[in-house]
Amino acid sequence: LPHSPAARWAATLDQPAVVRPAPHPAPRPPTHMRPREITVTEVPELLADPYAFYAKRVLRLRALDPLDADVGALDYGTIVHGALARFIAEATAVPGGWPDEDAAQAMWDAAAEAALGKQGPRPALAAFWRPRLARIGAFVIGEEGRRRAEGGIVRSHVERDGVFVLKRPRGDVTLKARADRIDVLGDGSLHILDYKTGGVPRPDALLDGTAPQLPLEAAMALEEAFEKVQRAPVRALTYWRLTGGQEAGEVKPMLSEAEEVERVAAESMDRLGRLVDRFLLGDAAFPARPHPGRVPKGGDYDHLARVAEWAHAEDEVE
């Protein structure tokens, strides 16, 4: 066929004269619509993706659970937390403060079955999770037996709610938390533990403020903000990683000196104060994913933020 410029003309019709990428959404609600309370688990979300916090707390949007959903990672975490809470509460209530190994095993089996039944998975999934729960139970019983034998634990508080009011120049903001566990040690100091069935933050994430949950809980404990937990120095912050896999459980110490815990807790509370001054008490916008290096958890609100229109698909969307 003879050469014709028509094909080039047709392609040119589809090309805009100027390409203007869509900007990141950054809503700026009025001050009276901004929440005046925040939980310690919401603080990382507000840091990494303020738009997601805005969609959840200002617009009050929640993702619907899929129909006939199977037990996923979140549900499994709920099962493990429920089993641990019941087991520790019952085991520490026996005379002497801790049962023998056979009694502890029976208590764990009952706690695991109760937690599994409360979540209500299909029989096939329940059969899949039971061996994992049994391996976690063996780890917990062994670890607790060792710690109790050393005589370092006087009392264990499980799933304690905490409330602390931040007094700021522009107003008050309520900080809430539910601590998985707070141990009272022999010298009267406290040891705060958190259970994770997935990944565990690095110790330096507690220091630089990107994983503020445990330091904020320590700050609240230092202010006697948890119910029935008296004010005392916090000696250590620890994660237990509980997967029930080949390595059923692992103890991940984060901070183990009372002076260091107090310093990091104070720094985390100071950062939180500046954060709430900006977003909850001020008039700052809530941008979507403002820090490329911080990957927010979840992503339930990515479609509302229209991430695919302004983010590189491989780097951001996935």
Side-chain angles (χ1 to χ4, degrees):
L1 295 175
H3 176 73
S4 171
R8 180 171 56 83
W9 295 343
T12 303
L13 292 175
D14 295 329
Q15 299 299 321
V18 179
V19 176
R20 293 187 177 89
H24 292 212
R28 193 187 298 270
T31 304
H32 72 273
M33 293 183 62
R34 301 175 184 234
R36 292 300 181 96
E37 67 176 40
I38 188 171
T39 68
V40 295
T41 55
E42 289 174 332
V43 174
E45 182 178 51
L46 183 56
L47 282 167
D49 193 358
Y51 181 88
F53 180 88
Y54 158 82
K56 182 169 68 174
R57 294 299 309 279
V58 178
L59 300 183
R60 300 180 183 179
L61 300 177
R62 293 290 190 276
L64 295 176
D65 293 330
L67 297 176
D68 298 325
D70 288 336
V71 174
L74 181 61
D75 300 301
Y76 182 57
T78 302
I79 292 170
V80 172
H81 279 71
L84 274 163
R86 174 170 170 169
F87 171 70
I88 295 297
E90 292 182 353
T92 54
V94 302
W98 193 253
D100 59 38
E101 188 171 347
D102 291 341
Q105 185 64 58
M107 288 181 179
W108 173 262
D109 292 342
E113 281 299 316
L116 196 61
K118 184 176 181 179
Q119 203 65 18
R122 292 187 291 106
L125 280 171
F128 176 77
W129 292 123
R130 280 193 183 95
R132 287 182 173 269
L133 290 169
R135 288 191 286 270
I136 290 174
F139 165 80
V140 171
I141 291 170
E143 184 66 24
E144 286 295 333
R146 180 187 64 78
R147 297 177 73 220
R148 306 282 168 174
E150 295 172 354
I153 302 176
V154 175
R155 186 180 312 108
S156 292
H157 301 280
V158 297
E159 294 192 341
R160 282 288 186 258
D161 290 326
V163 177
F164 178 72
V165 178
L166 284 81
K167 301 290 185 178
R168 306 301 299 174
R170 297 181 183 178
D172 298 343
V173 172
T174 302
L175 176 65
K176 295 184 176 182
R178 168 166 283 194
D180 285 346
R181 179 168 162 188
I182 302 176
D183 286 342
V184 181
L185 306 181
D187 61 358
S189 63
L190 305 177
H191 184 181
I192 299 179
L193 298 94
D194 191 71
Y195 309 134
K196 296 291 187 186
T197 53
V200 173
R202 304 181 313 277
D204 59 358
L206 275 69
L207 302 178
D208 64 19
T210 54
Q213 178 181 346
L214 283 185
L216 288 175
E217 289 182 3
M220 294 175 69
L222 290 168
E223 296 293 338
E224 203 169 351
F226 288 100
E227 58 180 359
K228 299 182 181 179
V229 180
Q230 295 183 352
R231 185 195 312 269
V234 180
R235 182 194 294 183
L237 305 177
T238 302
Y239 283 107
W240 278 13
R241 185 170 182 265
L242 305 166
T243 65
Q246 186 173 2
E247 186 177 17
E250 185 179 6
V251 177
K252 292 281 192 179
M254 296 289 114
L255 301 175
S256 55
E257 296 291 339
E259 294 79 5
E260 186 179 25
V261 172
E262 184 174 358
R263 176 182 62 81
V264 174
E267 291 174 354
S268 297
M269 193 62 79
D270 185 59
R271 290 192 191 100
L272 177 61
R274 295 196 299 270
L275 194 68
V276 301
D277 284 347
R278 179 183 178 192
F279 287 109
L280 305 189
L281 300 173
D283 61 353
F286 289 83
R289 299 191 180 189
H291 308 291
R294 283 185 183 159
V295 180
K297 293 177 65 177
D300 288 338
Y301 306 98
D302 286 352
H303 63 297
L304 294 179
R306 305 177 76 162
V307 171
E309 294 186 16
W310 50 261
H312 189 280
E314 293 182 358
D315 293 340
E316 296 280 359
V317 177
E318 293 182 0

